[in-house]
Amino acid sequence: MSWAGPFQQPIGKSPSQPDTSEAAVVFDPLIPTLLCLSHLRWSFVYQRPQHLMSRFAREYNVLFFEEPVPTDEAEPWLEVRPDEEGVQILVPRLPAGLEAQRTQAALRTLLDTYLERLEVEDLVLWYYTPMSLGFTRHLQPSTVVYDCMDELSAFDGAPPDLLEHERELLERADLVFTGGHSLWEVKRELHGNVHAFPSSVDIAHFATARAFQNNPPDQAGIGRPRLGFYGVIDERFDVALLDQVAALRPDWQFVMIGPVVKIDPASLPRRPNIHFLGGKTYDELPQYLAGWNVALMPFALNESTRFISPTKTPEYLAGGCPVVSTPITDVVRSYGKSGVVLIADTPEKFVAACEKALDLAADRPAFLEHADRVLGDMSWDRTQAQMKEQIECLR
């Protein structure tokens, strides 16, 4: 194994700029390099990309290339940050206000320079965003993977040419994975090698919530019963539903964990029994989950949620909480008849489902046994192994 570092000067930076890549970066030229091109930042919310890439890093050199960050500096440069899970995080820093064509050229130069520095020969390209084609279509990988975890074109603020880029990516891709069965049904009409890999779970991580834990300080003073949600609070979250349910049951406490993104924080309901605690790390989530009676998925029913397969569904169950969700297609399909995930589509029905979930939670041994049967052998390790098998069949 060779060491491409420590990098005393990040790619593209002038000697006058401070060094941010003092840690040594491990690179093994004898194994393939997986370049993951993501619209999500590694340090934002720990979800599908982080689960998969941290596991691929056990067998591949994994480079996680994020979208650019604007800087006041005059020249583009690439921040290289070794992650503790063996993934190299690459963050392009570009001068603010750079126009589109020059942005693509700068990204291509930064990426090419880094790949040349590592002397990468065996390359796998893994796309989460088709928009990355603008600076990667010239590369010559052994395999191209498109992991379509969401229908990005349905999200607020989606680039107008995203669908055009996706059509090109589907032509180039050797292999397409989808984040759920609903997406698979759509993408299989557009590509001949599509495989559904719904959201999975690290059961051991979330099962720690089943044991008694001291409540985190910002949750300890909140009364019971506690009904909780964690995740990104954005256009997929049904703000009105939460407000109405909280109004119907002022004696219940609603704990909301996660960053507020793309919606006005002023639009969030403000009631004495609704508690917004902000974002938490992946390692902290079981501590909060341990203090809940019921876990919630109050998703809006709109274009942005039409194809989602929420990771939190099996995570909540592994943590020992019954779940109440709005009728998201993939949730209904996978868990609607499970008996541990209850579905409701109006505020009144949501309250009734939560009351039933509280009854389930009261008989904890029976609920945990039932939840474990539903989870079965589900795991991110299994999902990653099956994906790797599909890739290796093409290499």
Side-chain angles (χ1 to χ4, degrees):
M1 182 173 290
S2 66
W3 295 73
F7 293 152
Q8 297 303 321
Q9 182 181 326
I11 301 298
K13 291 190 74 177
S14 69
S16 63
Q17 293 167 321
D19 179 22
T20 59
S21 293
E22 294 180 355
V25 174
V26 179
F27 180 81
D28 186 347
L30 301 179
I31 62 176
T33 295
L34 190 160
L35 172 60
C36 179
L37 301 137
S38 178
H39 60 293
L40 299 170
R41 300 207 178 277
W42 185 265
S43 58
F44 177 50
V45 174
Y46 203 95
Q47 50 191 306
R48 183 184 182 97
Q50 289 85 348
H51 280 294
L52 293 174
M53 293 304 112
S54 62
R55 286 165 173 79
F56 272 107
R58 300 167 186 168
E59 302 165 283
Y60 291 64
N61 301 304
V62 175
L63 313 178
F64 190 87
F65 198 92
E66 297 187 349
E67 291 188 332
V69 174
T71 175
D72 293 332
E73 294 164 284
E75 296 298 325
W77 60 281
L78 184 65
E79 177 186 352
V80 181
R81 189 175 76 245
D83 180 80
E84 63 184 13
E85 295 183 88
V87 177
Q88 292 184 42
I89 315 303
L90 310 182
V91 187
R93 307 277 181 168
L94 304 186
L98 206 62
E99 55 93 16
Q101 188 172 355
R102 292 183 62 198
T103 293
Q104 298 301 312
L107 292 173
R108 174 172 174 164
T109 297
L110 291 174
L111 180 57
D112 285 353
T113 302
Y114 191 64
L115 294 177
E116 289 170 8
R117 185 168 187 172
L118 293 180
E119 298 181 353
V120 172
E121 294 184 359
D122 188 355
L123 179 65
V124 174
L125 286 183
W126 182 295
Y127 289 87
Y128 278 111
T129 170
M131 300 307 295
S132 297
L133 274 174
F135 58 91
T136 59
R137 59 170 57 92
H138 67 288
L139 296 174
Q140 299 295 317
S142 63
T143 312
V144 175
V145 178
Y146 177 27
D147 187 12
C148 183
M149 61 181 285
D150 288 305
E151 188 62 78
L152 295 180
S153 62
F155 283 33
D156 287 348
D161 51 351
L162 191 147
L163 286 175
E164 180 183 340
H165 280 76
E166 184 182 60
R167 283 192 289 270
E168 180 183 349
L169 179 55
L170 287 168
E171 291 177 359
R172 291 173 173 266
D174 300 296
L175 189 57
V176 177
F177 301 138
T178 64
H181 290 285
S182 295
L183 269 177
W184 173 78
E185 288 173 343
V186 173
K187 303 306 177 186
R188 67 174 176 170
E189 302 296 328
L190 305 173
H191 194 280
N193 194 14
V194 183
H195 305 267
F197 284 101
S199 295
S200 195
V201 61
D202 182 343
I203 290 178
H205 179 77
F206 285 95
T208 60
R210 298 186 178 194
F212 173 79
Q213 300 183 19
N214 291 326
N215 269 297
D218 56 351
Q219 183 169 271
I222 298 174
R224 287 180 177 274
R226 292 194 199 112
L227 299 86
F229 166 90
Y230 62 71
V232 180
I233 300 172
D234 57 14
E235 74 268 30
R236 295 169 294 177
F237 189 92
D238 194 333
V239 173
L241 176 64
L242 173 63
D243 187 39
Q244 292 168 306
V245 171
L248 289 169
R249 293 306 302 260
D251 53 320
W252 292 352
Q253 303 301 313
F254 297 86
V255 178
M256 303 290 113
I257 290 173
V260 179
V261 178
K262 294 195 294 183
I263 62 172
D264 184 356
S267 69
L268 299 176
R270 301 297 176 182
R271 295 183 181 275
N273 61 333
I274 301 177
H275 312 271
F276 291 96
L277 303 187
K280 306 298 175 184
T281 67
Y282 180 70
D283 288 342
E284 291 175 310
L285 293 179
Q287 301 170 38
Y288 287 88
L289 187 55
W292 299 351
N293 302 94
V294 174
L296 304 178
M297 296 198 301
F299 288 111
L301 301 179
N302 56 34
E303 283 301 306
S304 68
T305 61
R306 182 180 173 191
F307 299 107
I308 64 172
S309 176
T311 305
K312 58 183 61 59
T313 316
E315 292 175 351
Y316 286 160
L317 295 176
C321 273
V323 181
V324 178
S325 175
T326 49
I328 298 300
T329 300
D330 277 6
V331 176
V332 174
R333 175 178 288 167
S334 300
Y335 299 96
K337 297 181 180 179
S338 68
V340 290
V341 177
L342 308 177
I343 309 297
D345 60 357
T346 68
E348 293 76 17
K349 290 180 180 178
F350 209 87
V351 168
C354 288
E355 290 173 340
K356 184 175 181 180
L358 287 168
D359 290 340
L360 290 174
D363 188 354
R364 189 165 177 78
F367 170 77
L368 294 180
E369 182 180 351
H370 193 170
D372 287 342
R373 286 199 302 269
V374 171
L375 291 170
D377 61 353
M378 184 184 303
S379 75
W380 282 113
D381 286 339
R382 185 168 180 264
T383 297
Q384 184 270 337
Q386 291 174 338
M387 288 177 161
K388 180 176 180 288
E389 182 180 1
Q390 292 287 342
I391 294 171
E392 293 301 320
C393 285
L394 296 173
R395 286 168 44 77

